[in-house]
Amino acid sequence: MNTITVTLPDGSTRSVAPGTPVREVAEAISPRLAGVALAASVNDRLVDLTTGLTDDATVRIITPDSPEALPLYRHSAAHLLAAAVTNLFPDVQCGIGPATEDGFFYDFVVPSPFVPEDLQAIEQKMRELAAQDLPYERQAWPREEATAFFGARGEPLKVELIQEKTAGQSQVSCYTIKDRDTFVDFCTGPHVPSTGRLRAFTLLTTSNAYWKGDARNQPMQRIYGTAFVTDKDLKAHLHRIEEAKKRDHRKIGREQRLFLFHPWAPGATFWLAKGTTLWNTIADYMRGVLFPAGYVEIKTPIVFNKALWETSGHWQHYRQNMFLVESEGEQMGLKAMNCPGHMLVFGSEVRSYRDLPIRYHEQTALHRNEASGVLAGLTRVRQFSQDDAHCFVMESQIAEEVERLLRLVQQVYGDFGLEYAVKLSTRPEEYLGEAATWDHAEASLRQALDAAGQAYTLNEGDGAFYGPKIDFDVTDAIGRKWQCATIQLDYQLPERFNLRYVGADNTEHRPVVIHRAIFGSFERFLALLLEHYAGAWPLWLSPVQATVLPIADRHLDYARQVHERLAAAGLRVELDERTEKIGYKIREAQLQKVPYMLVTGDREAESGTVSVRGRTTGDLGARSVDAFMSAALEEIARKAISPPAGGEGAGAGQTGG
């Protein structure tokens, strides 16, 4: 073969000699393209620019604008980090260093933990190596040479990786930065051409880690960092990190006295008075959405005999994540999910096609035995509740029912002012059931998404093993994504529990189950809301909607009257009876982010009014109690996310009364 054919993204072709490096293809297209090129996609496989082409191929040059650029930068930055660490601390052992969604990390075995001063020195060394513009070079080593090399360097973890990852191979891929003495790592790549391409990076923090994430293995120190294509993107990310610290739901939860945790109940939330009010508000809100939509609420037991979990398959595949108990010689498991119990309820009586769909909703507490090391505030707990529901439908009802669910999700997230993106996840490589059944189910989901006018992206091969699903990623106020709602089709549990209904043909048929949640877990959804609103709750959600602030003790009686009238109308209102200056009381209420502060003094007591201050709008003037009450109830009823601009809302509008 004298030449091979390279097909470019625009459909044009070029002929090159076999062995031509991808870099030369880029140079032939444009010297400017070659100057910014980072790597290449050859037949949809990422490779270095030095890779030689051996056969006809489709080639796309990766530049800083390509979607593959960011993970490439971050993977290369992880190697740069390891090079800096091994130069400064020659006795360390290297573990692994992948790119992550937010940056990169690298794990090391070290004599003593890293301290902040070490991190500063390491980052400075990274910048020195970047300024030298040292090449990343892929080298193919004989497998025996690679294991001997890393063994002689005192890198047994690298030897272990090579033995595991390259069994049966004669050669292994290693990457140097400049040369073996500067840095070398067992890695499949690819990487950017040289360290000079890496400018927008920083190190963030350290943590304890274990080899392969197993606490029984070698303890390690993990260094986290992040990298971006541009300094502008890096600065924006660091700003989001600082904003996230301010919005941390654990911090706000303490400040607003919503919840606490105790070491005697790890991973279980103590909901304090205001937090319980908040929890009940969203629980009742969900009931108010679901009951008109044809759902019924049920409650199933907390503890089940292992026979239930064996039937559902969880005993075989999920037992390690369950809390197990023994009673009278019988093994039992605390409920980790509601679906098996709902199968028993459906199967408890004869069902007709006329009964379907049947929609069960449940908010009972669930328990999962999460490892203590992953528990994190409200976002990862051992005890939680879900706005869980299971819809039992006929095959012919799938598309219509899913469309109804999509409109419910749109309604709920709209009420909370949340933006979201939708993914349709299709059949994975390993799945249960028949391919034809999966094809029908996926077509039904597509039909429902289209009918609801819902934009979505396709997530090929990421469905659950028992059925395809639709996932919803909510974006919060600072751009972070939270996976919340899910809609999953399930043909397997009805089979396992032998569920049946009598069809119009008077024969028995198998129902399909749609698992669905919109909040997900109440705990995680409240964490999302706390950080999304930064603790400044919309009036309809706020645990305290207004606080009455008497100026002096002589105004207490009138303040109590105002408090009683507002409470009787259903407003969540507090009375600040402390003997403090009014400025102090206002500042305290402001710090607690109470939506409305109602000041009462001589003038207000004489005229039957309150002086209204909005959390964001400041002094809104005097209003009659009835006028404030009416406007507040209207604002709550329409679930306003914040008082509209222009001074409207509960503090403005009507007077008199």
Side-chain angles (χ1 to χ4, degrees):
M1 183 186 299
N2 295 324
T3 62
I4 58 177
T5 301
V6 173
T7 303
L8 301 175
D10 63 0
S12 63
T13 61
R14 292 174 183 266
S15 295
V16 300
T20 298
V22 179
R23 187 193 304 275
E24 291 185 15
V25 175
E27 289 170 348
I29 297 170
S30 158
R32 180 181 176 280
L33 177 64
V36 298
L38 300 172
S41 171
V42 176
N43 295 332
D44 295 324
R45 184 174 70 90
L46 279 183
V47 299
D48 297 296
L49 292 175
T50 55
T51 301
L53 298 170
T54 57
D55 298 290
D56 293 349
T58 298
V59 174
R60 178 168 55 89
I61 304 301
I62 305 302
T63 72
D65 295 328
S66 303
E68 299 90 345
L70 191 54
L72 193 65
Y73 272 87
R74 289 172 172 174
H75 187 190
S76 300
H79 274 230
L80 184 63
L81 163 62
V85 170
T86 53
N87 273 261
L88 292 172
F89 305 93
D91 294 335
V92 303
Q93 283 186 51
C94 292
I96 59 171
T100 66
E101 186 176 350
D102 293 319
F104 60 88
F105 69 79
Y106 209 110
D107 291 341
F108 303 94
V109 179
V110 294
S112 59
F114 293 116
V115 296
E117 291 77 13
D118 293 333
L119 234 57
Q120 294 171 11
I122 293 165
E123 182 170 324
Q124 179 57 38
K125 187 65 177 179
M126 290 174 69
R127 298 199 181 282
E128 291 174 8
L129 295 172
Q132 295 174 37
D133 197 24
L134 306 174
Y136 286 84
E137 182 184 355
R138 182 181 182 274
Q139 300 177 358
W141 295 5
R143 189 167 183 266
E144 294 77 9
E145 179 186 335
T147 55
F149 176 83
F150 285 105
R153 282 168 61 103
E155 297 271 14
L157 301 183
K158 289 295 176 185
V159 173
E160 182 181 329
L161 279 180
I162 292 170
Q163 291 171 339
E164 287 179 358
K165 303 291 185 182
T166 65
Q169 298 178 23
S170 60
Q171 292 188 321
V172 298
S173 172
C174 294
Y175 273 83
T176 62
I177 294 180
K178 185 183 177 184
D179 51 39
R180 295 187 184 190
D181 293 331
T182 303
F183 182 69
V184 62
D185 203 355
F186 164 57
C187 177
T188 57
H191 287 284
V192 298
S194 65
T195 59
R197 301 297 184 99
L198 305 175
R199 298 184 180 91
F201 61 82
T202 190
L203 299 184
L204 299 172
T205 187
T206 63
S207 73
N208 295 323
Y210 295 97
W211 176 237
K212 297 180 179 177
D214 190 332
R216 296 169 297 184
N217 289 342
Q218 172 76 55
M220 308 187 80
Q221 279 278 292
R222 175 171 295 177
I223 297 180
Y224 289 96
T226 193
F228 284 85
V229 177
T230 68
D231 281 323
K232 179 182 176 183
D233 290 340
L234 175 61
K235 289 175 182 175
H237 178 75
L238 296 178
H239 175 73
R240 285 194 296 271
I241 290 176
E242 288 306 309
E243 188 64 25
K245 290 177 182 177
K246 297 175 190 174
R247 291 169 178 262
D248 189 315
H249 72 277
R250 292 163 292 192
K251 172 179 175 288
I252 297 172
R254 286 191 302 271
E255 292 170 350
Q256 295 189 355
R257 297 186 287 279
L258 300 176
F259 57 85
L260 59 83
F261 291 92
H262 194 281
W264 289 353
T269 312
F270 288 74
W271 290 103
L272 305 179
K274 292 177 183 177
T276 300
T277 296
L278 188 57
W279 201 99
N280 288 336
T281 298
I282 70 165
D284 291 341
Y285 162 82
M286 184 54 70
R287 292 186 177 102
V289 168
L290 295 182
F291 292 172
Y295 287 75
V296 294
E297 185 171 7
I298 62 175
K299 287 190 176 296
T300 56
I302 296 291
V303 180
F304 284 97
N305 188 284
K306 76 170 184 177
L308 173 91
W309 306 111
E310 288 174 334
T311 302
S312 68
H314 290 99
W315 195 258
Q316 296 90 328
H317 301 292
Y318 200 75
R319 179 172 46 180
Q320 70 276 13
N321 299 108
M322 296 173 63
F323 285 102
L324 306 179
V325 296
E326 187 171 307
S327 175
E328 297 181 341
E330 293 283 342
Q331 282 191 293
M332 317 283 281
L334 266 66
K335 181 167 62 174
M337 61 282 298
N338 288 311
C339 32
H342 290 191
M343 303 302 123
L344 296 184
V345 174
F346 182 92
S348 65
E349 56 185 275
V350 177
R351 306 290 181 178
S352 164
Y353 73 97
R354 293 187 179 89
D355 300 325
L356 304 184
I358 290 176
R359 307 177 182 98
Y360 294 139
H361 169 64
E362 183 164 10
Q363 297 182 3
T364 312
L366 304 173
H367 295 82
R368 295 182 185 174
N369 192 11
E370 302 280 6
S372 59
V374 302
L375 299 177
L378 298 177
T379 60
R380 197 71 175 264
V381 289
R382 289 175 171 172
Q383 177 181 298
F384 60 98
S385 295
Q386 292 181 316
D387 66 312
D388 207 6
H390 295 89
C391 306
F392 297 80
V393 300
M394 297 183 284
E395 282 257 4
S396 60
Q397 296 172 322
I398 291 173
E400 180 183 355
E401 188 66 16
V402 171
E403 183 185 346
R404 287 168 58 96
L405 290 173
L406 290 169
R407 297 195 188 281
L408 271 180
V409 173
Q410 290 168 353
Q411 175 187 342
V412 170
Y413 288 166
D415 285 342
F416 288 92
L418 297 172
E419 297 181 357
Y420 61 92
V422 178
K423 298 177 294 190
L424 171 59
S425 299
T426 58
R427 183 171 68 236
E429 289 187 12
E430 295 185 13
Y431 61 92
L432 296 178
E434 301 295 327
T437 303
W438 276 81
D439 291 343
H440 173 74
E442 290 171 10
S444 296
L445 294 185
R446 285 190 179 91
Q447 180 184 338
L449 287 161
D450 293 338
Q454 178 63 65
Y456 65 94
T457 57
L458 204 57
N459 198 13
E460 292 278 8
D462 201 45
F465 68 91
Y466 52 78
K469 61 178 181 171
I470 300 172
D471 288 324
F472 298 76
D473 289 332
V474 171
T475 302
D476 68 13
I478 57 174
R480 296 169 301 178
K481 295 189 182 300
W482 303 64
Q483 203 282 311
C484 290
T486 186
I487 298 171
Q488 300 180 356
L489 295 189
D490 184 359
Y491 292 83
Q492 304 309 317
L493 278 184
E495 185 76 31
R496 283 179 167 271
F497 283 87
N498 195 26
L499 301 185
R500 303 166 186 266
Y501 68 90
V502 179
D505 58 1
N506 210 34
T507 64
E508 291 184 330
H509 300 267
R510 190 82 71 200
V512 179
V513 170
I514 302 176
H515 303 251
R516 77 108 194 95
I518 300 176
F519 292 161
S521 85
F522 281 54
E523 284 74 8
R524 192 166 184 273
F525 191 70
L526 284 170
L528 184 166
L529 294 180
L530 268 164
E531 300 195 6
H532 178 65
Y533 299 133
W537 299 101
L539 185 66
W540 73 277
L541 279 171
S542 187
V544 179
Q545 294 167 326
T547 183
V548 183
L549 307 175
I551 293 175
D553 288 349
R554 67 179 180 275
H555 307 126
L556 265 175
D557 286 343
Y558 177 65
R560 291 189 182 108
Q561 294 172 31
V562 172
H563 175 268
E564 289 170 6
R565 288 178 64 186
L566 296 177
L571 290 171
R572 296 190 287 271
V573 59
E574 286 187 344
L575 172 62
D576 189 340
E577 298 182 276
R578 295 176 298 172
T579 306
E580 298 284 357
K581 292 182 177 180
I582 190 63
Y584 178 83
K585 291 181 179 182
I586 290 172
R587 284 193 298 275
E588 285 282 290
Q590 198 78 39
L591 287 172
Q592 286 295 304
K593 300 186 179 179
V594 177
Y596 291 107
M597 290 144 272
L598 310 178
V599 179
T600 59
D602 292 333
R603 185 173 54 189
E604 289 78 16
E606 290 171 6
S607 60
T609 62
V610 288
S611 181
V612 182
R613 291 185 62 87
R615 178 179 60 210
T616 57
T617 50
D619 188 0
L620 294 167
R623 298 288 180 265
S624 73
V625 176
D626 284 345
F628 172 80
M629 188 163 57
S630 175
L633 292 173
E634 189 275 332
E635 186 178 333
I636 290 166
R638 60 185 167 84
K639 296 182 175 62
I641 300 304
S642 61
E648 298 176 9
Q654 308 160 359
T655 59

